[in-house]
Amino acid sequence: MILSFRSTALFAGFMALATALFASPPAFAHGPTPQRFSLNIHIDAAPQDVWRMVENPASLAGWHPLVARSSTHGTGRGAQRTVEFVSGGHVVDGIDDINADRRNIRWRLSQENIDVMPVSYYTNDLMVTEADGGSDVTWRASFFRADTTNEPEERYSDEAAIKAMESYAREGLAGLKEFAEAGQ
């Protein structure tokens, strides 16, 4: 088979383009990056007492100042928790794990409401450990912003998601501390 100069040049150009497109990562692809944080608070109450306050997913409204009502459908792993906010609106969480031995509860977002919480997905862990004659409570979260396109509106951006999630956790930990130390 004899290739003309034109055929060879076209083939070489095609191969160069194919190599550029497939061998190197595209510079224009970005999308959302996962956001994470871990917050900790010390509570002057025994770990077993603090755990009793958080082990039931429906008890959230009893100690979290931003939550007006919380209810569950089902029990334990696989239960669904509806969280209604004082500011209005609600989200639905799926309970992934409740481990009494480790005093740890884990949940994820099952039904989003980006006008209430500007995230498209989250997972949270709340862990109670013994520390300094009381308890340390750690709230860890991993999440994505509400708008997962490359250029989100400001209200659905990484910054808005971080601010909302950290505020939710910080207020929750402060509310738990106040509730537990009052001996509720």
Side-chain angles (χ1 to χ4, degrees):
M1 174 178 194
I2 299 174
L3 294 176
S4 69
F5 174 75
R6 184 170 179 212
S7 298
T8 305
L10 284 173
F11 180 74
F14 172 76
M15 291 306 293
L17 178 61
T19 301
L21 287 175
F22 298 113
S24 61
F28 54 83
H30 185 270
T33 55
Q35 303 297 319
R36 293 179 178 84
F37 68 79
S38 180
L39 299 175
N40 190 45
I41 197 165
H42 182 78
I43 297 176
D44 291 323
Q48 61 272 17
D49 295 337
V50 176
W51 175 246
R52 274 195 294 274
M53 295 173 189
V54 301
E55 70 180 326
N56 177 354
S59 71
L60 183 66
W63 52 268
H64 199 303
L66 301 180
V67 177
R69 283 182 290 288
S70 54
S71 60
T72 56
H73 178 70
T75 58
R77 183 183 198 141
Q80 295 287 304
R81 173 175 63 190
T82 300
V83 179
E84 297 178 46
F85 293 93
V86 171
S87 61
H90 73 278
V91 296
V92 177
D93 294 331
I95 306 302
D96 288 332
D97 192 33
I98 301 173
N99 187 318
D101 294 333
R102 291 188 348 213
R103 292 189 287 263
N104 176 265
I105 182 169
R106 179 177 300 126
W107 67 95
R108 63 183 153 65
L109 183 62
S110 293
Q111 181 183 356
E112 68 184 43
N113 182 341
I114 62 174
D115 293 322
V116 172
M117 185 69 67
V119 297
S120 61
Y121 184 78
Y122 60 62
T123 58
N124 288 272
D125 274 285
L126 193 66
M127 181 178 285
V128 180
T129 56
E130 187 173 350
D132 300 323
S135 303
D136 277 350
V137 180
T138 303
W139 187 316
R140 287 184 293 220
S142 178
F143 54 97
F144 287 94
R145 66 180 182 232
D147 183 343
T148 58
T149 64
N150 286 341
E151 296 182 28
E153 291 180 49
E154 189 175 314
R155 65 187 176 140
Y156 301 134
S157 66
D158 285 335
E159 294 76 18
I162 292 166
K163 181 179 177 183
M165 288 294 294
E166 284 185 351
S167 174
Y168 182 60
R170 191 172 286 110
E171 292 288 326
L173 289 172
L176 181 59
K177 178 179 177 71
E178 183 179 333
F179 189 73
E181 291 180 354
Q184 304 290 324

